[in-house]
Each structure stands twice: as structure tokens, then as C-alpha cells.
Amino acid sequence: MQDTANLIRLLTAIAAIVLGSGGIIALFYGANWLVNGLPYGLRSRVLPWVYMTPALAVLAAFLILPTIRTLIISFMDRRSEAFVGLDNYIFAVTNSAMLIAFRNNLLWLVLVTSISVSLGLVIAVLVDRVPYEPLAKALIFLPMAISFVGASVIWRFVYAYQPPGFEQIGLLNAIVVALGFEPVGWLVNRTVNNFALIVIMIWLQTGFAMVLLSSAVKGIPQDVIEAARIDGANEFQIFWRITIPMINSTIVVVSTTIIVLVLKVFDIVFVMTGGNLDTDVIASRMIKEMFNFRNFGRGSAIAVILLLAVIPVMVANIRRFQQQEVNR
Amino acid sequence: MSSVSKKRPAQARTRLDRLETLLTTAPVHVVVIAIALLWTLPTAGLLISSFRQPDALLTSGWWSVFVPPFDPAQFHLGNYMNVLTRQGMGQAFLNSLIITIPATVMPIAIATFAAYALAWMQFPGRQLLFVVIVGLLVVPLQMTLIPVLRAYNSLGLSGTFLGVWLAHTGYGMPLGIYLLRNYIGTLPRDLIEAAAVDGASHLKIFTRIVVPLSTPAIASFAVFQFLWVWNDLLVALVYLGGNQNVAPVTLVLRNLVGDRGQDWHLLTAGAFISMVVPLVVFLGLQRYFVRGLLAGSVKG
Amino acid sequence: MAHIVFERVTKQYENGFVAVKDLNLAIEADEFLVLVGPSGCGKTTCLRMLAGLEPISQGSIYIDGQRINERSPRERDIAMVFQSYALYPHMSVFDNMAFSLQLQGTPKADIQQRVQAAATQLGIEGLLDRKPKQLSGGQRQRVAVGRAIVRNPAAFLMDEPLSNLDAKLRVQARAELSKLHKKLGTTFVYVTHDQVEAMTMGSRIAVMNQGILQQVDTPQNLYNHPNNMFVAGFMGSPAMNFFQASLKPDGDQLWIEAGALRLPVPASVQASLQPDLGQSLVFGIRPENIYDPQFAPPGIHPIDLEATVSVVEMMGHEMIVYLSLVDGHEFLARIDPRSRFQPGETVRVSFDMNRFHLFDRASEQALV
């Protein structure tokens, strides 16, 4: 039974894949064929829009229009039936649970960004000097391939807690006990649980920072380093006075990327603690308002706060892009 | 490698020199190896545990398997059989494939056409459009969830694969267009023009010249999008809702954590099943993934 | 074999820059027309408008009497060789050459045969399986030409196809292209900034400057009878010497006075110069029309004068001498290598007054 059902699913899947991808290609070919009937002048004006339209349609349907809609909903009540002014925003910045979420998000932002980037940088510089560099990098980078859910399970296991006296199966508590302390409930103890979650994100993001920074470090011309060495700089001085200033722009890009990612972090909190015990962050509060409390107005207002937080990054991206275009 | 060894000719190296070299580089090795180990241990622990007997898992740490005597019989595949058949992980694995492949192919096709138009066709508003797309790169998904979900509910798209495909296509589009347009824009103008003079239409230039020459960028985006979709929880959670028939591995694993939080034999095996495809893709195509990362982008 | 006509063609870019202005040019079927001029003169823009790669702002281009402004490149039946060769890097040499035929839907056997024939003609039949990356510069250039000839197009457009070759190869490739043109008997439109290429290959040369066509003529006429100072100065290396001058009558004899220079006008042209008496003029003479009197050939009309040698460049088959007049005006002479001119010496040189040029200083147009 199960097998037949699976076979049918598999066939459906293959059919869907063929239809989905083939359909898109057929769409472009068909439109192109139609446009080819037009005279040259008109054709060259129409054709770009044929190529652009599917992209513009999905961008509009899934990003642009919903964003505008969310902005509007954020000023309306829980069922989006009446305008409530700034109520939802006032709630979002005064409610005690929200304040905890803000505090936690700030903690996440500061710790994840600073530790991932600095650790990534140190590894990038050190790994350059060992012969087994590719292996070491691959091992540190590997968590990037793992989903937040998968990573959460991995770390739940590391944090696993058994009452004192029982054999600890979590790595961390086993170490703690071996050192002669009481085991710690890492995820339930309010003083450490946020840090326990943040460590997961650091574990995930350090590899990303390392890979980007490592390629920037390798991009520093060897003769600059050698010139500094001849000028009498030691390795530390080279690191601080040559390496860091020369890869400054990469550090900025890596940091902003991590900041944006951390702002929206949701999965780890959702899977590990469900946001209980003071571990909520803004994004997980938003899902709670939306699903658990069915208050679309408040959920939207929280989403808008997230959007406001990334706007500086957005502006910086556009500036950087326009700079690139000028330099082309 | 160190400056010490460089200063002296190789043939003059003595055992003492080598010791000196070792001592100066030793801290580097220690730090690198320590970090690499630290980063690997959690995953290794999960992998080893997933093959252990359920009760052994709960009574001793996974590291105890290294304590002699080493007994291969303590490992088995039972956890995997259990989680695949009885916990719905097999179904979910298939669902993840059904979701991920079209949700990777569709945005690639659409984004490549758009990137070509943005890079090589003349039309008004081209520059402005691209600036908007760059801006959309960092828009948080959360901004779009409620309106899209509502639209899906009224269109009957929630809980369907089509809904998830389209959503991932939309969310992957800014990054895809950004990466591909930057790459396609750097192809030599002469090549495009030579093909035009050779009698190629825009579609032929696209399929015969631009796509073959852009495979590195397309591969980067494909790896990126594939990993992103496979590992996604939020989109699946919101648009697939409670429909277990269509739930991908991330969702099933998450439910497993909620329902069977202490059944480590199931969680470890389940987590590893959810990770195996991305790990294979990642290890096989790491080159393209890194290249995509280096193309410098911020995803929303 | 196409007859190509540019009729009042103007190209203005969106930023207002006028690249080509009011161009009228008729290119005969089976002619090798070279468009030459300094960089930015609009010659490449002309070629690109002809190819359909650049829209035409005003005017019309006709191929064999048909207006082609609105046709896409593929509808014009032209082939083009690019400066960078623009070989498709992912295709083998064979596929590069076969690409346009494949697009036309030519039968496979036909493609095979035509590519083979073109490859044999160019001596690249051994390279058909290679990728462009594996070829030398000279081989790439041949493949680019081969890609054009397999199509058997109405016209060949070439945009500086030899500028990426080293000097020796370039000389060889020049001769090969000339031979190819004779063999194919098709219209060639060839763009270059190198006046040597223009002189050696063109059946006619069109000289352009700042978007404006200066003169179209055979190499010989262009060299001997330049229309204006730009053409006179552009064609020939080293360039023609110019002196600010005026015409002064002295009895029956007309004199060209240019600073310290005073040169008698030969009787044959005196009459035609009468109207320009008293005008501000420019006197021009090519370096090869200035001689060391010791080695002056017979049959010229030598006028001797004194000059100081500043630099002597020995080329082997000739000597380039940098000279200056008493008033400091500098000029160049290409003289017999046996000459014993030394830097610092004051010497006598002969101007061949059978071969000089006079231009109006304001309009820069040639007189006579």
C-alpha cells in the first residue's frame, strides 16, 4: 500500500517537475514566437517585457504587493476590519513580552555578529598557514548546509539534561559534571537559555564569515605583506595594520549580511524553546501573533518593525550597487 | 611556512631548526584543529547516536562508544527504519524533493531570462527596475506572510505544492536576478553582437550563447536556492499549514521535536535524514556555493 | 556582392554626442573599402550601423537598393569580424564556423562541406576540434575570418581585425586578406585606425574625422591629392610637414613665404594660385620630398635651403632627420641612408617643389 502510494507520489513529483520547469520554458518560447511575428522595431520594444514579465509578476505578487498590504494591515485591528491607528505599534513597543523580544534580539545581534565575524576572521587568517586548509575550512563551513531545524536538533542533543546522579548524555552537561559541577538545564535556565540559542547561530554563521573573509585575506597582494615585513612589522602588526584595513569592506558586507539574517531569526527559537521562558525574538513573536493569537494587525506591525530595521542595509546595498555600476 | 624557515636555505636545515619551526607554528595548528574539532563534534555526536540502540542512547553519552572494548553490534539501522516508515520521515523526504526541485528550476528559468533582459536589452526603466530588485534583496519574508497566506486561502493554494513553489520562486527571485544579471552583464559585448550578426535572434543568443556561458553563475544560484528551499521551515510552516501529506522534512522534524522530544533515537536519525541531501549537495558543489556567496549578497 | 549606400546618415547618442554626421558614401559591389581615421572619429559607429548593431538616428542605409534601417542584423546578410574576434568560447572551431549556418537551418552535410572548404582555404583544417582558448592569436583571427566566409554573405564587415596581432603576423595577415578579397570578389568594408593598413589593402579609402567624412578616393589619389590638411596629415608616416605661409608676387614670380622660408612657385601652377594672393595659407610638404642635395634624384624641382639637424634616426633603408629652420620651425625629412648629416650640423636640404601642397589656413581645404 505504502509503496504504491509512494510510487504515485513519485510519478506526480516527476510530472510536476517536468510540467513546472517545462511550462516555464514553453511560456518563454511561445511568447517569443508570438513576438517574432511583429515588425523589427516593435519587436525589439516588446521582447524585453516578454522576458521580464514573469519575474516582475512573481516579484509583485510575493514581495511588492504583500509588503504594501502588510503596511496597511498593520494599522488595522486583528481581523483587518477597522482602522486602529497606531495601536498595534504602541502594543509592539510597550508590551512586556515584546520588550523581552527586543532585548533578546539585541543580544542576538551583538553577540552573533561580533563573535561570528571576529572568530571567522581569526580562523581565516590562521587557516591560511596550515597545509590541511581545505579540510579545516570545509569542517567549519559545513553547518552552513544544515537547516536551522537540523541544527536545533543537533544542539538540543548537546544541551540534553538529566537530573543530577543520572548519566549525562548531553556533551555539555557531561563536561560540566566531569568538572565537578551540577548539571545545568541550558534551555530552561533563564540566565543561560538565550546564550544557549545564540551559540547555535554562531556555530552556523562563523563558517560563512570565515569563507568570505578568507577569500578577502587571500586577495591581499603578497608583496604588500612582504613590504610590511621588510619594514619590520611582526605578524600581529601585519594583522592589525595591513590585513584588517585592507579587507574592511568585506568585513562590512559580512557583518550586514549576518545582521539581516539574525534580525529575522525564527526557526531556532521556534524549534528549541517555542519562545517560552523569555527566549522570544521579534520574528518568533510575529509568528505567535499571527498563528497562535490570530491577530493580524499586531503581527503585521511587528513585521513592519523588522522591515524598518533592515532599511539602512537596503539603502547601503543600493548605494554600493550604484557605485559598482559607475565603476563598470 | 613560518618566517623562520624562510630565512635559511633548505639544505642547511637541522633538526633544531625543524623543532623551532614546529614550536612557532604549533599554536596555529592547535587553534585551527581545536576549532575544527569543536565545530564538528556536535554533528558527529548526532551521527553516531543515530545508529545506537534507543535505550543505550538514553543511558550513556555517545562518546562512550569509543571506550574499549569496541563492539560493532551496538550499532543498527533500526532508528532509521522506524523514523522513515512510522514517523512519516520517508513521506516527508519525498515531499521535500517534490517541493525543492521545481522551486529551484522555476526561479532559475525566470531569473535568467530577466537577467538577460536587464543586462543586454534596451528598454525604458531598466536601471530603476534593477535598483528596486536590489532593494528587495533584504525585505524580510515576514512582511509578506499574512497577505500571501490570505490570498492563498481564498485561491485554495494553501497546503498545495504549487503554492509553495510559487512562493519560493518569488522569494528567490531578487537574489537570482541580482546574481545572474551581474554575471551575464560581464560577458563580452562582442560575443552577443557576433551572434546577432551571425543571424541569432534574442532567444537563440540566450539559449546558445548566454546560458552556456553563464553556467557557473546559474549553478551558484541553483545550489543556493536548493539549500534554501530544502532547509526552509517558515514558508512550509505558513503556507502548508497542518497538512501532513505535503509536509517537508523540516516540518516533520520540527513536529518530532515537539511530540517526541526525549526520543533521541528518532530525533537523531530524523535530523540526519533531513541533513543528508543538503550535505551531499554542499560537499559536491561547495565550489559553486562559495562562488555564490562571494558574489556578495544579502538574502531576505 | 552588395552595393552599399549611406545616405545622409547621422548617429547621435542619447547623451547628445554626434558620432557620425550627415554621411554620404556609396560602396561599390566587390570593392574593398577602408574606413580610416583616429579613434573616436565615428568609423566603427558607421560599421555598426551597417551591421544593425546600432540604430540609425537619421538618414538611410541601403544594401542593393533596399533600405535596411529597420532590419535586424540577421536580416541583412552581412558577416562581421570583430577586433576581439568574439569567438564563442564554449564552442569548438567547427561549431564557431557552423553557428550561422545552423541558425539558418542549412543541411548538416552542406554545413560540413562549407566549413571544411573555408577551413582549408584558411589553413585551419587541423584546428576544427579545438576550443578558441587553445588557439594562438593568429589562429583565432583566421577562425574569425573563416566564420565570416562560410556564410557567403553579401558583404564582409571588419572592425580592426588585425590590431591584436603582433607586427610580423599583421603584415602577413594583411596580404592574406587582400588575396581573400580578390578570390571572393565580395564587398569588404574594413575599419582601421592604421593608415598603413588602409593604404595597402583598400581599393578605396574613406577618411573620417570627428564624425565627418573627409575624403573618399583610391589610396594613390588620397596620398597625392589630399582634400584638406586633416587627410594630408593623417595619411603618411612620418606625417606631412606644415608651415604657416602666404603668397607674395615679385615681378612675374610667385613666392611662398613661410617665416624663414622663401620658395618660388613653379610656373605650372602660378596661374591657378593668383586668386589666393595675400591669403593666410599653409604650406605642406611630405618628409620624403625633402632631400640631402648630395642624393637628390633627377627629375625633381629642388630648391635648397639651410636647416639645423637636431636628431637623426637611422632606419637602415632610410634616415629620418629632425631639422629646424633659422626661425626655429621644426620639420622632418626622410632621406637617403647614405647621407652624412650629423646632429648639430647646419646643412643644406632640397625641397622638391614639384610635390608640395597648399591649404587655406582658415578652412584647411587644399588649393590647386
Side-chain angles (χ1 to χ4, degrees), chain A residues 9 13 16 21 28 48 51 55 62 70 80 132 141 145 147 157 167 169 174 203 215 264 270 296 314 321 325, chain B residues 29 39 49 57 59 63 91 98 105 113 123 130 135 143-144 147 150 152 165 181 231 254 278 282 294 299-300:
Chain A
R9 286 210 152 267
S21 8
F28 281 110
Y51 289 5
F62 288 95
T70 299
S80 313
Y132 43 87
F141 192 37
S147 63
F157 195 48
E167 176 94 16
I169 60 166
W203 181 71
S215 95
K264 298 179 300 185
F270 185 70
F296 287 166
M314 196 186 283
F321 160 74
E325 289 298 287
Chain B
H29 289 283
W39 249 248
S49 300
L57 247 168
T59 50
W63 49 90
Q91 175 74 66
I98 298 176
V105 174
F113 269 102
F123 59 93
F130 195 45
M143 263 318 265
T144 70
R150 281 182 169 178
Y152 270 18
W165 292 341
R181 137 68 233 233
N231 287 339
R254 187 261 149 189
F282 176 82
L294 292 180
K299 181 151 164 52

Side-chain angles (χ1 to χ4, degrees), chain B residues 122 188-202 204-205 207-213, chain C residues 48 51 53 73-74 78-80 82-91 96 99-100 102-103 147 151:
Chain B
Q122 299 290 335
R189 171 175 289 274
D190 280 0
L191 282 184
I192 313 283
E193 294 185 338
V197 173
D198 268 349
S201 61
H202 269 300
K204 281 281 187 246
I205 295 176
T207 54
R208 299 283 304 267
I209 309 289
V210 170
V211 170
L213 290 178
Chain C
R48 290 169 55 81
L53 298 173
R74 57 198 291 233
I78 35 116
M80 183 155 166
F82 290 76
Q83 179 171 7
S84 66
Y85 313 137
L87 301 181
Y88 310 123
H90 56 301
M91 295 184 194
N96 260 283
F99 185 59
S100 61
Q102 288 168 0
L103 291 172
R147 193 167 68 180
R151 295 178 53 186

Side-chain angles (χ1 to χ4, degrees), chain A residues 148-165:
Chain A
F148 287 141
V149 185
S152 298
V153 174
I154 292 176
W155 283 86
R156 264 178 75 97
F157 195 48
V158 173
Y159 293 142
Y161 169 85
Q162 305 274 14

